[in-house]
Amino acid sequence: MPSSTFPAQFEFLDEIREFVAEVARDGGFSEKAIYSLQLAADEAASNIIEHAYEGITDASLELTCDMRGDTIIIALRDWGRPFDPSEVKEPNISADLADRQIGGLGMYLMRKLMDSVKYESGSRTGNLLTMTKRRV
Amino acid sequence: MEITTQEFKHCDLIKVKGRVDSATAPQFSKALEKANDNGRFKIAIDMSELEYMSSAGFRALLAAQRNSKRYNRGEVVLVMVPDRIREALELAGFTELFKTFDDQVQAVGSF
């Protein structure tokens, strides 16, 4: 199963997106779908770097990406601060300019772009975010 | 990511090329803030050579639009938004916050 560990730094987002694109391309996803998968993985990794590892610069995250039949599974594991996704308020995407929230957008996009988004955290296993998307 | 700013009489045209993500968005924000610092609030952003933009870039756009529209002193408009980026902006509900134009002349002329 293609898996790789990346330093938890924004400068590695390019490589993270490329990793996802390679697996998705081999799996027969269209370029348009690949863009969406890259965006979802980027948002997930950005959240980990920004929130789970807030203030920590030497951390790492593990990215696993694989096809199961016609479905791609993208999993990101970190060992930072866990969070409760149900507490991430959904942004009001029809609010006026003044009332738009800055946060929560990444999680919102992930849920919209992917078929499923699952989050688990455990003291030994770290935090695991698993997203799936079927090829159409 | 690469940014070039061109000053017109009535607006600034900021061209952003390449990829805007959490790593590069601060530099994009800085270019927008710099225009504001120079008293320029009417801004057209040329996205024709933009390959990728994550929500970090969307947040920079939102902050710039808020700052520009304050006191009715200006506005940020988007020019030649690539389809994939437009779709993501739509998903985030951002398309209604920005006027979009199909070419630079139209956008610059709108101010």
Side-chain angles (χ1 to χ4, degrees):
Chain A
M1 194 181 283
S3 178
S4 188
T5 299
F6 297 90
Q9 293 161 21
F10 292 140
E11 286 67 28
F12 288 86
L13 288 171
D14 258 333
E15 287 179 39
I16 288 170
R17 290 194 299 266
E18 207 35 57
F19 188 91
V20 170
E22 273 175 35
V23 175
R25 210 163 275 137
D26 288 346
F29 279 89
S30 67
E31 288 303 312
K32 182 178 156 96
I34 291 171
Y35 185 92
S36 298
L37 296 170
Q38 287 183 301
L39 183 54
D42 175 324
E43 298 295 346
S46 293
N47 273 349
I48 290 170
I49 298 165
E50 200 174 334
H51 302 298
Y53 288 134
E54 190 183 356
I56 303 168
T57 50
D58 60 349
S60 63
L61 62 89
E62 184 188 87
L63 173 65
T64 306
C65 203
D66 203 11
M67 293 295 300
R68 194 169 296 161
D70 58 0
T71 299
I72 191 166
I73 300 161
I74 302 172
L76 293 101
R77 191 188 295 277
D78 70 82
W79 294 268
R81 199 172 52 194
F83 85 109
D84 181 353
S86 65
E87 280 183 12
V88 179
K89 251 173 66 185
E90 201 157 282
N92 183 352
I93 62 155
S94 53
D96 287 346
L97 183 64
D99 297 324
R100 285 296 174 116
Q101 293 149 359
I102 293 284
L105 203 52
M107 194 71 189
Y108 179 81
L109 284 175
M110 281 151 56
R111 287 189 175 127
K112 284 277 175 191
L113 294 165
M114 304 297 288
D115 293 338
S116 76
V117 179
K118 191 172 80 178
Y119 182 83
E120 304 154 87
S121 67
S123 52
R124 274 180 308 160
T125 53
N127 310 309
L128 181 65
L129 181 83
T130 311
M131 308 187 281
T132 68
K133 176 97 180 163
R134 220 181 131 196
R135 191 181 61 218
V136 284
Chain B
M1 188 197 63
E2 208 182 298
I3 296 176
T4 49
T5 301
Q6 207 181 339
E7 282 198 17
F8 287 86
K9 193 166 179 223
H10 296 292
C11 75
D12 276 10
L13 180 69
I14 296 179
K15 180 160 185 160
V16 55
K17 290 189 204 178
R19 295 182 288 270
V20 179
D21 61 12
S22 297
T24 54
Q27 196 192 329
F28 179 49
S29 293
K30 212 171 275 174
L32 294 164
E33 283 162 18
K34 197 175 157 210
N36 292 164
D37 289 345
N38 292 336
R40 312 283 291 181
F41 300 99
K42 293 173 180 163
I43 298 170
I45 301 177
D46 182 339
M47 295 187 165
S48 56
E49 290 179 61
L50 186 63
E51 293 162 25
Y52 177 85
M53 186 178 263
S54 72
S55 69
F58 297 178
R59 283 195 285 269
L61 289 176
L62 183 65
Q65 185 68 300
R66 273 193 187 139
N67 205 29
S68 279
K69 281 199 163 176
R70 194 170 298 146
Y71 317 121
N72 276 326
R73 59 193 172 184
E75 184 172 359
V76 174
V77 303
L78 310 180
V79 191
M80 288 181 280
V81 186
D83 285 345
R84 281 168 202 165
I85 293 164
R86 184 189 295 269
E87 282 162 23
L89 284 167
E90 263 168 27
L91 216 51
F94 269 49
T95 38
E96 60 213 52
L97 301 178
F98 297 89
K99 281 184 197 150
T100 56
F101 293 91
D102 293 332
D103 65 68
Q104 281 192 4
V105 178
Q106 263 185 20
V108 170
S110 74
F111 288 108

